[in-house]
Amino acid sequence: SLARRCHHRSSAMLDVPFLPFCAFLGTLGLLCVAMVGTWCQHWRGGFSLDGSSRTFNWHPVLMVTGLVVLYGAAALVYRIPHTWSGPKLPWKVLHGGLALGAFVLTVLGLAAVFRFHNSQGTPNMYSLHSWMGLATVLLFSCQWVAGLGAFLLPWAPAWLRALYKPIHVFFGSTILMLAVASCASGINEKLFFSLKNGTTQYKLLPAEAVFANTLGLLILIFGVLVVAALARPSWKRPDSDSPDSRQVREALGG
C-alpha cells in the first residue's frame, strides 16, 4: 500500500550507518569539550589550583569531559559491530575502563568545586544543580561497582547477570541524561552568578551568554543522540545464542 511504501521510504531515510554516526558524535563530543574549555579560558580567567574562581573552572571542564563525553563513549562500546563476535572480555575491559576514566574526572571535578567553595566561604550543596549533580555521581558510583561485580569479575552466576543486565542498561541511559541536565543547569547557574553588572547582564545576552547557552544545547544534543543510539534496535548487540548473533558471526568471519 501507499502508506507502507511511505513508511519504508521514511525508515530508509533514517537508516544512518553506525560508524559515520559515531564519527559525528565523536566530533560533537570533542566540540563540547573544546567549547567548555574556551569558555573558562577566554571569559572566566583560565585555570589554577589556588582555590580561586580559576580553580572552579576545572569543574565544568572535567564534568563535561568525564560525565558526559567519556561516559557516552563508554555507553556506546557494545554498539560497535565488531563487538558482536569473538571474546567479550577486551570490550568489557574497554567499557569499564572508559567508565572508570569518566568517574575519575568526575571526582576531580567535584574536588575542584568543593575546594573553591571552601576557600571562598561559600556553602556547599544548596542549589538544585548541586543536588542533581551529586545524585548523578552517586548513581554513577553504584552503577560502576555493580557492573564490575556482575559483568567483569568472574564470580557472578549467569542468572544474576541476566537479571541485572536490563537494570544496568536502564541506569546507563538515566545517568547520562541526569549528567546532561546537571551540566545544563550548571551552565545557567554560572551565567546568572557571573553576568549581573552593567552591560554584561545576562538578560542583555552578551557574547559569553550566547556561547555558553550554545554549549548547553550541544551537550543536550550529544546526550539525546547517545540515548537514541542505545535505544535503536538494529544497533543492539544480539544475544549470544540468537539467530541474529549467529548471522553476525558468520558475516564477520567468526
Side-chain angles (χ1 to χ4, degrees), residues 139-157:
L139 272 177
F140 187 8
S141 306
C142 296
Q143 171 90 338
W144 194 89
V145 171
L148 176 69
F151 300 121
L152 197 55
L153 298 181
W155 59 60

Side-chain angles (χ1 to χ4, degrees), residues 14 22 24 57 61 66 75 112 125 127 130 137 139 177 180 188 196 202 212 214 227 245 253:
L14 295 173
C22 276
F24 171 78
N57 288 342
V61 171
M125 304 306 301
S127 68
S130 60
V137 175
L139 272 177
M177 294 316 297
V180 168
N188 209 35
K196 53 189 177 183
Y202 191 9
T214 303
V227 172
S245 182

Side-chain angles (χ1 to χ4, degrees), residues 152-172:
L152 197 55
L153 298 181
W155 59 60
W159 66 265
L160 180 60
R161 297 184 183 193
L163 181 67
Y164 176 61
K165 182 180 177 181
I167 299 173
H168 187 78
V169 171
F170 169 78
F171 276 104

Side-chain angles (χ1 to χ4, degrees), residues 40 47 50 66 70 77 86 94 114 119 143 169 178 223 229 232 238 244 251:
C40 293
F47 304 90
D50 59 4
L70 207 54
V77 162
L94 178 60
F114 281 124
S119 67
Q143 171 90 338
V169 171
L178 283 172
R232 189 180 177 94
D244 288 341

Side-chain angles (χ1 to χ4, degrees), residues 23-33 69 218-219 221-223 225:
F24 171 78
L25 204 55
T27 303
L28 181 58
L30 290 175
L31 179 61
C32 290
V33 173
V69 177
L218 292 179
I219 291 171
I221 293 170
F222 178 88
L225 288 178

Side-chain angles (χ1 to χ4, degrees), residues 45-202:
F47 304 90
S48 79
L49 300 175
D50 59 4
S52 68
S53 60
R54 294 185 299 160
T55 299
F56 170 87
N57 288 342
W58 286 109
H59 175 69
V61 171
L62 291 171
M63 289 306 195
V64 171
T65 304
L67 203 52
V68 176
V69 177
L70 207 54
Y71 185 86
L76 288 175
V77 162
Y78 287 117
R79 298 303 187 268
I80 300 173
H82 290 295
T83 67
W84 296 357
S85 65
K88 291 178 65 176
L89 183 60
W91 299 105
K92 286 183 179 182
V93 172
L94 178 60
H95 175 75
L98 287 171
L100 179 60
F103 181 72
V104 169
L105 293 182
T106 299
V107 170
L108 292 174
L110 283 180
V113 72
F114 281 124
R115 174 170 169 75
F116 167 69
H117 282 174
N118 293 338
S119 67
Q120 302 295 316
T122 303
N124 291 305
M125 304 306 301
Y126 65 88
S127 68
L128 175 60
H129 163 68
S130 60
W131 294 1
M132 188 160 48
L134 187 61
T136 305
V137 175
L138 291 176
L139 272 177
F140 187 8
S141 306
C142 296
Q143 171 90 338
W144 194 89
V145 171
L148 176 69
F151 300 121
L152 197 55
L153 298 181
W155 59 60
W159 66 265
L160 180 60
R161 297 184 183 193
L163 181 67
Y164 176 61
K165 182 180 177 181
I167 299 173
H168 187 78
V169 171
F170 169 78
F171 276 104
S173 296
T174 300
I175 290 166
L176 179 62
M177 294 316 297
L178 283 172
V180 168
S182 298
C183 288
S185 62
I187 290 169
N188 209 35
E189 185 177 284
K190 183 62 176 176
L191 290 174
F192 273 122
F193 286 155
S194 302
L195 302 180
K196 53 189 177 183
N197 296 314
T199 57
T200 64
Q201 291 181 69
Y202 191 9

